[in-house]
């Protein structure tokens, strides 16, 4: 590895917020204490393999969290259909669970190694991937440099750069170029993202659209859905999903404003981080509202005001209970959350104005009438009230959202086309290996 690469790695660590060497032990312990680390498999975070390497070529695919994991599932399935082994790494217990539920034993799941040379080298020495595919915005300097030193092609798929990340990298243009030029290909989500990667030195860059559009709608357990629907009956409902700090209280306040106008109104609140549920339940109950917690199996009774969706992996369940969804991290926080899942499930989408991380998706939904942005709590209450009152307008908005998602599909095919030069040699190699093994 050249001195230039080493300097780039150290500078990137300083500015990109990666974990410093002296903090690794406390960092892992902290993650474990928050339930985000699998204690049994902690050694994988240091690059120690959890199982033997299979024969034949391997593609390493990394998806940091739940959203990225769901987005790459169809891509992984397409690669598996070619007969090539896949090692899928994720960073959290929740994303590991999603990988197991949707891909099972067809892939090898490992927790991603910490971005330190010993851990990354140990991981690469064992798995010896012949192609690395990274999802969205996971830019880890040491991993990129180690793969580059081993001449392993690296492709960033579904690539995006938030406004903040782009500004940060632009201030360190030489560091960005030293890292991004090591990527064999960047497949960006949008024209804006593609241009940002080009400015930072990535070549070549193509635009695919958002892989999240080509996923299936989030599933729901049919028995659980039927039980909740029976408990809710004909009551009007709306949901506040993927909420961040402050937005749950806003949803509760909207409920308090509207429940007299809409008899029996049930508000479904699904926090982005369910580990906040105890505090949220106490806070909302302190407002004089009755809360039923999904995680505790509490029944929705006629006097229940708020169903607190404090579980993981049940977004499909909650969205099927309503036709109106406010998508969080957009009113009291910045960046927004993915509006495509509610749109897929014929849901009218509301959000605050801070949706920069999903700018293109929201713009498409807004243009077609499938979403509406609100300024504050009062405007949100007005929008929910309007949609509850006007069935025709609500159904028109729901249909527009579903149509928008259909129009946006095609990212998977475009991504596979960009990956073809890197995957096809491995397909041939896998087939030859299979033929020679028979």
């Amino acid at each position: 590895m050249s001195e230039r690469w080493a300097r780039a790695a150290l500078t990137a660590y300083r500015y990109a917020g990666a974990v410093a060497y002296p903090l690794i032990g406390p960092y892992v312990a902290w993650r474990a204490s928050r339930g985000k680390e699998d204690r049994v498999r902690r050694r994988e975070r240091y690059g120690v393999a959890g199982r033997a390497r299979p024969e034949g070529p391997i593609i390493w695919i990394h998806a940091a969290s739940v959203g990225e994991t769901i987005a790459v599932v169809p891509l992984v399935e397409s690669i598996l259909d070619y007969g090539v082994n896949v090692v899928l790494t994720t960073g959290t217990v929740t994303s590991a669970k999603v990988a197991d539920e949707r891909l099972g034993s067809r892939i090898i799941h490992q927790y991603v190694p910490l971005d330190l040379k010993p851990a990354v080298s140990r991981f690469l020495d064992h798995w010896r991937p012949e192609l690395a595919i990274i999802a969205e915005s996971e830019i880890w300097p040491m991993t990129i440099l180690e793969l580059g030193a081993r001449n392993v092609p690296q492709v960033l798929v579904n690539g995006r750069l938030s406004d903040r990340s782009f500004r940060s990298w632009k201030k360190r243009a030489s560091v960005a170029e030293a890292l991004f030029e090591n990527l064999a290909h960047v497949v960006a989500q949008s024209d804006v993202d593609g241009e940002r990667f080009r400015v930072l030195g990535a070549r070549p860059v193509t635009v695919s659209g958002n892989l999240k559009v080509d996923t299936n709608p989030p599933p729901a357990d049919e028995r659980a859905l039927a039980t909740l629907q029976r408990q809710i009956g004909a009551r009007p409902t709306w949901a506040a999903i993927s909420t961040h700090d402050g937005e749950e209280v806003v949803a509760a306040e909207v409920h308090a404003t509207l429940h007299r106008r809409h008899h029996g109104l049930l508000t479904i609140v699904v926090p982005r981080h369910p580990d906040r549920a105890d505090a949220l339940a106490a806070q909302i109950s302190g407002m004089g509202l009755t809360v039923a917690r999904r995680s505790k199996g509490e029944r929705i009774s006629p006097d229940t005001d708020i169903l607190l969706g404090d579980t993981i992996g049940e977004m499909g369940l909650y969205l099927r209970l309503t036709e109106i969804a406010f998508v969080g991290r957009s009113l009291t926080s910045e960046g927004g959350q993915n509006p495509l899942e509610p749109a897929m499930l014929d849901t009218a989408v509301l959000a605050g104005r801070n949706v920069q991380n999903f700018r293109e998706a929201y713009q498409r939904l807004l243009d077609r009438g499938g979403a509406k942005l609100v300024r504050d709590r009062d405007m949100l209450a007005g929008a929910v009230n309007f949609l509850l009152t006007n069935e025709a307008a609500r159904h028109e908005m729901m249909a527009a959202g579903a149509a928008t998602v259909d129009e946006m599909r095609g990212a998977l095919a475009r991504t596979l086309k960009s990956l073809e030069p890197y995957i096809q040699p491995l397909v041939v190699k896998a087939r030859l290996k299979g033929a020679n093994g028979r």
Side-chain angles (χ1 to χ4, degrees), residues 221-388:
D221 180 273
E222 291 186 6
R223 290 184 61 185
L225 178 61
T227 297
L228 292 179
Q229 287 174 331
R230 188 165 55 252
Q231 293 175 7
I232 295 170
R235 297 174 63 178
T237 65
W238 76 285
I241 66 169
S242 300
T243 51
H244 286 242
D245 189 26
E247 291 172 332
E248 296 88 5
V249 171
V250 168
E253 290 172 342
V254 169
H255 177 90
T257 299
L258 298 180
H259 81 282
R260 290 186 181 88
R261 300 185 193 180
H262 301 279
H263 178 71
L265 178 66
L266 177 71
T267 295
I268 303 162
V269 177
V270 187
R272 176 70 172 173
H273 302 294
D275 55 0
R276 299 168 52 231
D278 288 344
L280 290 175
Q283 190 174 23
I284 296 172
S285 296
M287 298 169 64
L289 300 176
T290 303
V291 179
R293 292 180 60 175
R294 170 70 180 154
S295 66
K296 296 182 178 299
E298 294 173 349
R299 192 177 188 280
I300 301 171
S301 63
D303 65 344
T304 298
D305 295 295
I306 307 290
L307 170 61
L308 186 57
D310 54 345
T311 55
I312 292 172
E314 290 195 309
M315 186 61 76
L317 175 68
Y318 301 123
L319 287 173
R320 285 174 172 85
L321 297 174
T322 188
E323 295 180 341
I324 305 167
F326 165 80
V327 183
R329 199 185 177 188
S330 60
L331 205 57
T332 63
S333 299
E334 292 188 1
Q337 297 287 174
N338 180 16
L340 298 173
E341 287 186 343
M344 285 178 192
L345 288 170
D346 297 318
T347 306
V349 174
L350 303 173
R353 295 182 173 182
N354 302 311
V355 293
Q356 301 91 331
N357 291 352
F358 295 88
R359 182 183 286 111
E360 184 181 23
Y362 272 104
Q363 191 60 60
R364 297 284 289 271
L365 287 167
L366 290 167
D367 289 345
R368 283 294 302 265
K372 179 179 175 61
L373 301 186
V374 298
R375 180 178 57 253
D376 52 25
R377 177 196 61 193
D378 292 341
M379 193 172 175
L380 175 60
V384 174
N385 178 60
F386 175 80
L387 291 171
L388 288 171

Side-chain angles (χ1 to χ4, degrees), residues 37 82 96 105 111 167 172 184 208 211 253 303 359 433:
E37 193 83 21
Y82 291 137
S105 60
Y111 285 105
R167 285 194 301 269
R172 293 103 193 173
S208 66
L211 279 176
E253 290 172 342
D303 65 344
R359 182 183 286 111
K433 179 70 178 177

Side-chain angles (χ1 to χ4, degrees), residues 152-171:
V152 177
Q154 305 170 64
V155 181
L156 183 68
V157 300
N158 218 36
R160 67 179 179 90
L161 281 172
S162 67
D163 295 347
R164 181 181 296 179
S165 294
F166 181 57
R167 285 194 301 269
S168 179
W169 282 115
K170 263 190 94 173
K171 292 176 183 176

